[in-house]
Amino acid sequence: MGLQRILLALLLSCAAMDIFICPQPVQGFAIGQSKYGRIEKFPYQVMLIGKQLWRKRILCGGTLLDQRWILTAGHCTMGVTHFDIYLGALTIEDGAETGRLVLRSNKFIVHEGFDPDTAANDIALVKLPIDVTYTTRIQPATLPYLRRNDALTGAKVVATGWGANNEMSNYNPMQYTELRVISNQECANEFDVVTNGVLCAKGLRDETVCSGDSGGPLVLKNTQIVIGITS
């Protein structure tokens, strides 16, 4: 899939961003009421460790779109010189994990309309240095062509990530949780910045995503169709 096709698909699908807030963490994990997942169940999930100019490292998630491109949040690229990219990995700590692939990239494209103050157009693409080989642990997600936010209201979705409410040295295994897409009108009752390019989802209890889950995918339940990016 070429870059122009990827960008066009993103614009047509309204796969812009998801807005979440961070309540008090449950057991210290970023995704409240979460479950630990197998990477084979979420083979499109990518971990990005970004090296920033003014900080040591940042943790973000990403979604594999094809053999060369990863979808993530625009704010994950701010000040970043390069990314260490983990594909097919359940946790960063297990260097001997079979089937994982670690690559480095300094090539990424941020949406030209990205506004860090409002989080508008919080979208970026990271280019891998080589074409990756698909395995049971490394598979691309599917883009939702011509989907509209209002058509998704009420849909069950799944968020995944490694984010945590503690220091980056304490990596957790990948977690996932089920959420429900809500209307932008309902979302606007809780958040100030809700535009047509925003998709909101919430949990039945206190499920949410927090720091470190940014850039990660939101997919329709029981599919690999990515409809949003954690912003």
Side-chain angles (χ1 to χ4, degrees), residues 103-142:
L103 300 171
R104 176 167 291 189
S105 174
N106 61 1
K107 298 183 184 299
F108 42 87
I109 302 170
V110 183
H111 193 294
E112 62 181 9
F114 171 52
D115 185 341
D117 293 326
T118 64
N121 302 303
D122 193 8
I123 305 172
L125 293 170
V126 180
K127 187 176 183 180
L128 295 169
I130 60 172
D131 287 350
V132 298
T133 300
Y134 296 149
T135 68
T136 57
R137 300 170 69 103
I138 302 174
Q139 291 284 331
T142 302

Side-chain angles (χ1 to χ4, degrees), residues 20 155-159 177-181 201-203 207-208 218:
F20 305 86
K156 292 182 179 180
V157 292
V158 175
T177 195
E178 185 177 311
L179 306 169
R180 179 180 61 85
V181 176
K202 65 184 297 184
E207 299 93 338
T208 185
L218 189 78

Side-chain angles (χ1 to χ4, degrees), residues 26-31 33-39 41-42 90-91 159-163 171-177:
V26 177
Q27 296 181 343
F29 295 121
I31 299 183
Q33 303 293 344
S34 65
K35 301 177 182 178
Y36 293 115
R38 296 187 306 114
I39 190 62
K41 187 174 182 179
F42 309 104
L90 183 60
T91 174
T160 49
W162 289 273
Y171 290 101
N172 297 308
M174 185 176 64
Q175 300 170 81
Y176 70 96
T177 195

